[in-house]
């Protein structure tokens, strides 16, 4: 069973919408225990500790990400990023792919689902250091891929984040060591396209 740090304050550690072993072998229960139960829990605790007297006490998380700076932004950004990340997964599926309006939007923006996967994987594999690769929608619903360093989130660009791959080493090192491209390639099996489609439909 995953062991998490105790959380006190306004923001709470999100509950995983699946069992810790549900994503294996793509992401192990051991990785989830550290990534969700320790790394994300630490960001939540750090943000809660920084809130008193900050002027951000009553703001929702996304507003903190848009307005904060420094350590508060880093912790708020990582909470938002991880909430979207952990919320987008399901048990591994063969030939896992989007359908409906999202699939059409991907074809319109990138030419095909395979071309999209190639472009997205390249964004994740070539991001220097720590950060995130994102699929987002702009104000017109057009899909774009961005690389966001460290704790940055596409909302800071005026985009609506739909799907992400975490390329901080703690997201994959226990399972894949330094083989980031292998980790990114495996993640396609566990993307819950129904969740991503719901985010796209807004």
């Amino acid at each position: 069973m995953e062991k998490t740090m105790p959380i006190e304050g306004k923001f709470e550690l999100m509950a995983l919408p699946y069992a810790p072993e549900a994503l294996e072998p793509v992401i192990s229960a051991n990785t989830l225990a550290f990534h969700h139960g320790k790394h994300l829990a630490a960001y939540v605790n750090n943000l809660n500790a920084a809130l008193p007297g900050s002027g951000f006490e009553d703001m929702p998380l996304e507003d903190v990400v848009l307005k904060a700076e420094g350590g508060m932004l880093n912790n708020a950004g990582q909470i938002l990023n991880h909430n979207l990340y952990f919320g987008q997964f399901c048990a591994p599926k063969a030939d896992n792919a989007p359908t409906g309006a999202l699939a059409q939007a991907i074809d319109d923006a990138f030419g095909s689902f395979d071309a999209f996967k190639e472009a997205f994987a390249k964004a994740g594999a070539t991001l220097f250091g720590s950060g995130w690769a994102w699929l987002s929608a702009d104000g017109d619903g057009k899909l774009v891929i961005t690389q966001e360093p460290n704790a940055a989130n596409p909302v800071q660009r005026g985009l609506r984040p739909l799907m992400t791959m975490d390329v901080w080493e703690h997201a994959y090192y226990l399972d894949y060591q330094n083989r980031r491209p292998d980790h990114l390639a495996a993640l396609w099996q566990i993307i819950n396209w129904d969740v991503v489609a719901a985010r796209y439909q807004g």
Side-chain angles (χ1 to χ4, degrees):
M1 179 179 294
E2 181 185 10
K3 295 182 179 179
T4 60
M5 300 169 60
I7 303 292
E8 295 183 4
K10 172 183 175 179
F11 293 104
E12 298 180 353
L13 178 67
M14 70 168 289
L16 292 175
Y18 37 75
E21 65 277 6
L23 308 182
E24 293 183 341
V26 178
I27 298 177
S28 69
N30 191 36
T31 287
L32 277 182
F34 280 94
H35 195 182
H36 175 266
K38 297 187 182 297
H39 285 279
L40 179 53
Y43 296 131
V44 176
N45 276 322
N46 290 342
L47 181 60
N48 284 330
L51 281 177
S54 67
F56 296 103
E57 295 92 337
D58 297 323
M59 289 187 184
L61 182 61
E62 189 169 305
D63 286 353
V64 179
V65 173
L66 289 172
K67 298 176 182 180
E69 298 178 348
M72 182 163 290
L73 171 60
N74 288 336
N75 286 291
Q78 286 291 67
I79 297 169
L80 180 59
N81 292 351
H82 283 90
N83 287 354
L84 291 164
Y85 174 79
F86 288 123
Q88 71 184 4
F89 293 135
C90 62
K93 296 179 182 179
D95 301 320
N96 193 22
T99 59
L102 177 62
Q104 185 60 56
I106 288 173
D107 287 347
D108 291 344
F110 305 103
S112 68
F113 182 55
D114 285 341
F116 158 68
K117 288 201 297 182
E118 182 178 351
F120 197 94
K122 182 178 180 180
T126 60
L127 178 62
F128 181 77
S130 300
W132 305 76
W134 288 91
L135 174 69
S136 301
D138 67 13
D140 296 322
K142 181 179 179 181
L143 300 183
V144 295
I145 293 170
T146 63
Q147 294 175 314
E148 306 294 344
N150 301 316
N153 185 283
V155 298
Q156 296 164 298
R157 302 174 182 256
L159 300 171
R160 185 169 76 256
L162 306 178
M163 187 198 82
T164 188
M165 291 186 181
D166 185 349
V167 296
W168 284 67
E169 285 191 341
H170 63 240
Y172 60 87
Y173 207 85
L174 292 177
D175 297 330
Y176 297 87
Q177 288 76 53
N178 64 333
R179 304 190 307 276
R180 182 194 288 186
D182 291 348
H183 168 65
L184 297 176
L187 286 177
W188 296 113
Q189 301 173 55
I190 61 171
I191 298 295
N192 187 331
W193 290 108
D194 290 339
V195 169
V196 180
R199 292 173 181 173
Y200 176 63
Q201 292 163 2

